[in-house]
Amino acid sequence: MKYTIVIGVSSGIAAYKIVDLIKILKYKNIEIEVIMTNTAVKIFGVEMFEKAAGKKVYTDLVPDGFDYREVLKKREVEHIKLADAASLFVIAPATANIIGKIAAGIADDFLTTTILATEAPVLICPSMNIHMWENPIVQKNLDELKKLGYFILHPDSGQLACGYEGVGRLAHPQKIAEEILRLLYEKEKLKGKKIIITAGGTSEPIDAVRTITNRASGKMGTAIAQECYLRGADVLLLKSKTAVGTNAPQDTSGVASWKFDPGSLLRELDPGSYRGHDSPDGGVIKIEIFETAKNLEELIKKYIKNYDILFHTAAVSDFLPEKIIDKKLDSQKPVVLKLRPAPKILHQIKSWNKKIKLVGFKAVYKLEEKELIDAGIKKLKESNSDYIIVNDVGKEGVGFGVDTNEVYIVSPKGFLVKIPKASKKEVARKILDYIFR
Ligand SMILES: Cc1cc2nc3c(=O)[nH]c(=O)nc-3n(C[C@H](O)[C@H](O)[C@H](O)COP(=O)(O)O)c2cc1C
């Protein structure tokens, strides 16, 4: 597989070392694109980078002679093209300034705009004066970025260009290259594995227009699907109609696919043009949409025999209306709804494919840590799962609807690990690191 690394060069004094990094990566047959900040251009010029990369370096968001009509004609914007092309985005050296700008979501030049637009993993390689490095604002920004799933390569210690001695030297180009290759290798780790992820919440009809549902957004499941895909797995995402970004067909009979261009996994594409086929390199996440628990059960049964692993993150209704009213209820009259407990899909999955590696999710509400772990172990036994991932949705920033999560993993060996609160993307990464370690 041919990878493209986009290297963002900001104006750290160590920027000249990036020429060596480019040479190492080119030797590994990796496609390189370079973006420089204006200050980096002022200090170093573009020539040595263009020579090393063997192509033009990007610097200006709006270059001389820019004509917006060309953009409209070609339907192509340079920085978005680069953002999408990146298998991995590397910022080296990363100044205190660029770190602060990324953490604040600022996009005021070519580099920061492209970073904001990419969905590729981003590796940040800071380098700066020791006092800048120790400044709590810089450390706070780095912590924030780490929580959001950015990778940070710690700077080395030693003699600094400013005359100080201490932490702040750009990691050696060889070390940066190794980290890049490690991250790219991660992409291959689940190659050949077939993984189903269920995501979102079921909706059960009450009458012709109303449903009972829950607050699940599908964000955790979608993050796991994305991460499995990035690691090379063949992914089928069964997601609810109510889950994030569902523009896909609501016909559950056909497989829809999202094309993957690394920068836009979660961008909706015209489903019609991707229906029912994979690209030759497997570059899609296949999607099926469900609405009710019954739909979901049917879909799992349809596919499960051909898959190796199932992450069941979907929140399936615990109750179903005893009968569905075949018309629109009169809103002026009181209604008594009778609900019955719904069958537990998770508990049946192993009976549909006993070889499947089953990862179940359990939401608890405001429990002490010990009770939470006990609830996970009980669920594990009831469902015969290989792992149960428990979260306490009563905690702020955990579980339904939000962008962050905090989870505990249990297996038949008992409690394994707590993944502290972080973005769902980061939590998804750690769950996979743990389960496939
Ligand atoms: C000679 C020189 C060396 C610099 N080295 C660094 C550095 O190593 N790290 C850093 O964070 N800033 C360094 N700076 C400061 C940045 O250039 C400055 O904060 C600039 O605004 C950053 O812009 P940029 O992030 O868009 O490149 C240096 C400035 C100069 C003039």
Side-chain angles (χ1 to χ4, degrees), residues 10-13 37 39-40 43 95-98 127-128 132:
S10 59
S11 59
I13 194 70
T37 63
T39 315
I43 299 178
T95 56
N97 176 59
I98 202 111
S127 118
M128 63 196 72
M132 288 171 94

